[in-house]
Amino acid sequence: MTVKKSPSGPVVLSWTPVAAMAVVAVVDLTMGPGVGLLPLVSLGPAFGSLVGGWRRTAVIGLAALLLCVGLGMYNGLFDRPRGYTAMLSVAGVTGVGIAAAVMRSRREAELASVRSIAEAAQRVLLRPVPLTAGPLHAAVSYTSAVAEARIGGDLYEVVASPHGVRVIVGDVQGKGLAAVETAARVLGAFREAAYDEEDLVELGERLERSVARELEDEKFVTAILAEIGHDHRVVLLNYGHPAPLLVHGDGTADFPEPPAYALPLGLAAHGGPGPDPFPVPFRPGDQLLLYTDGVTEARDERGGFYPLAERAHLLKDPDIHRALDALREDLVRHAAGPHHDDAAMLLLRYQQGAGATPSTPA
């Protein structure tokens, strides 16, 4: 979902140069030359450099210069240095405004290039999840805390492997490029191991070894792994990650908690026990929402956390993508401002009438 911004701000700003020059002209004609406002005509090109390119700034500057000459002649200021000083002021501000407009245009072009590169990187790192995988339909939502980059440290993936549909949702500690790099390594290791490892625990151990080789200085990745086979259940492996939301076909919802929470990926060297896999019934008509803590820790204006359990009814739309969009829109309304953390949501819906057949790679 894209939140559209009102164009009223830029429109008002674009008319500010004209308004400023008009006010100076009216006051000067009304109060006379004794007020000494003529140099303030330079406010026109000064404001003009804030919106639009250098050509627009130059046109506004020329208009300001002509206005300055007209007012100066009307008030008889050119028989004294005062009139010429005002013209030099307008010309100087116009020149500086043109230079500022040129530099701003270059920065905007560079920013557009950076955003384009970030979007390409996101498409490589966070590939679109398959619309269907075995008996499941999937939809994903991702909101980065770094709005201009549109990419962050949350990760997700769905792989239809010979061993069942395997899923990961994770959250890298920290933000910025280092978090993105770590997320890329975790996803790369998961995509390969999901096909190779027959056992979900062995898949998790392989991810742990891969992350431990790369991370330093107490860095870690919280993650939850899920495996959906053909026996109407989902097996979960939780590495210190928020419990998923399981919405049953009758509309009731709960959060399947592991018997004991394990340390996040990358901290196995501290000697803690690894996670135990635990199965949860997952039948046709059920939905499983995997998410990162940027969802449940989103705060409203009063500091209240997002009540995810109370919003399970938003996922009832027959179209899985519209259902997840409804939840995301509600999350944005609750936050009432920019996100302070990345927020990823992956919704899996077990289709009604799906038979007990093994999942095959997409």
Side-chain angles (χ1 to χ4, degrees):
M1 180 195 69
T2 302
V3 179
K4 295 183 179 180
K5 297 181 179 179
S6 173
S8 59
V11 170
V12 171
L13 193 59
S14 66
W15 283 99
T16 301
V18 177
M21 292 189 295
V23 169
V24 172
V26 170
V27 174
D28 187 85
L29 292 173
T30 303
M31 306 299 293
V35 181
L37 295 181
L38 190 58
L40 292 183
V41 173
S42 61
L43 288 175
F47 287 131
S49 64
L50 300 177
V51 178
W54 67 268
R55 292 183 179 85
R56 183 176 183 273
T57 303
V59 170
I60 294 174
L62 178 60
L65 191 61
L66 294 175
L67 179 61
C68 183
V69 171
L71 292 175
M73 293 178 63
Y74 177 80
N75 293 320
L77 298 180
F78 286 108
D79 55 352
R80 289 168 290 175
R82 182 177 168 186
Y84 296 101
T85 301
M87 290 182 61
L88 288 174
S89 175
V90 172
V93 172
T94 299
V96 172
I98 291 173
V102 170
M103 290 188 292
R104 178 175 53 78
S105 297
R106 289 177 178 174
R107 287 195 298 270
E108 289 176 351
E110 291 174 356
L111 178 59
S113 177
V114 169
R115 293 182 64 177
S116 177
I117 293 172
E119 290 172 2
Q122 185 183 39
R123 287 193 295 270
V124 173
L125 174 61
L126 298 177
R127 301 178 302 195
V129 299
L131 298 180
T132 60
L136 307 177
H137 281 192
V140 69
S141 167
Y142 186 90
T143 303
S144 173
V146 185
E148 295 299 337
R150 303 182 184 180
I151 194 169
D154 286 2
L155 57 97
Y156 55 82
E157 183 60 286
V158 177
V159 174
S161 77
H163 319 292
V165 179
R166 287 175 165 176
V167 180
I168 183 173
V169 170
D171 186 358
V172 179
Q173 179 199 23
K175 296 181 177 65
L177 293 178
V180 174
E181 184 178 4
T182 300
R185 289 170 177 162
V186 174
L187 285 174
F190 175 78
R191 288 163 180 160
E192 180 179 357
Y195 283 96
D196 296 342
E197 302 295 343
E198 295 185 7
D199 184 74
L200 188 64
V201 174
E202 293 176 357
L203 169 58
E205 292 174 349
R206 185 163 166 180
L207 288 180
E208 171 62 45
R209 292 192 298 270
S210 176
V211 171
R213 285 196 302 267
E214 303 294 342
L215 296 185
E216 301 176 354
D217 302 326
E218 303 290 325
K219 299 292 184 180
F220 60 84
V221 180
T222 68
I224 185 167
L225 306 182
E227 180 180 276
I228 302 96
H230 57 277
D231 51 0
H232 290 172
R233 68 174 187 168
V234 55
V235 180
L236 300 172
L237 199 62
N238 196 314
Y239 288 89
H241 199 78
L245 173 66
L246 179 60
V247 183
H248 302 282
D250 60 3
T252 59
D254 57 72
F255 293 89
E257 297 279 353
Y261 276 90
L263 292 175
L265 294 169
L267 297 182
H270 292 265
D276 293 324
F278 61 103
V280 176
F282 189 46
R283 301 182 177 89
D286 291 350
Q287 300 183 87
L288 186 68
L289 180 71
L290 307 170
Y291 56 90
T292 57
D293 59 9
V295 175
T296 50
E297 294 182 2
R299 295 176 180 265
D300 59 16
E301 296 175 345
R302 294 173 294 180
F305 292 112
Y306 183 67
L308 181 59
E310 301 174 9
R311 302 296 196 267
H313 66 277
L314 297 175
L315 299 175
K316 64 183 180 180
D317 194 294
D319 185 289
I320 186 173
H321 301 283
R322 288 200 301 265
L324 190 58
D325 284 344
L327 185 63
R328 182 184 180 187
E329 289 171 3
D330 186 72
L331 174 64
V332 171
R333 285 193 296 269
H334 175 87
H339 286 270
H340 300 289
D341 194 7
D342 301 328
M345 295 185 288
L346 175 62
L347 181 61
L348 302 174
R349 177 177 291 177
Y350 205 125
Q351 292 306 296
Q352 291 280 7
T357 55
S359 300
T360 56

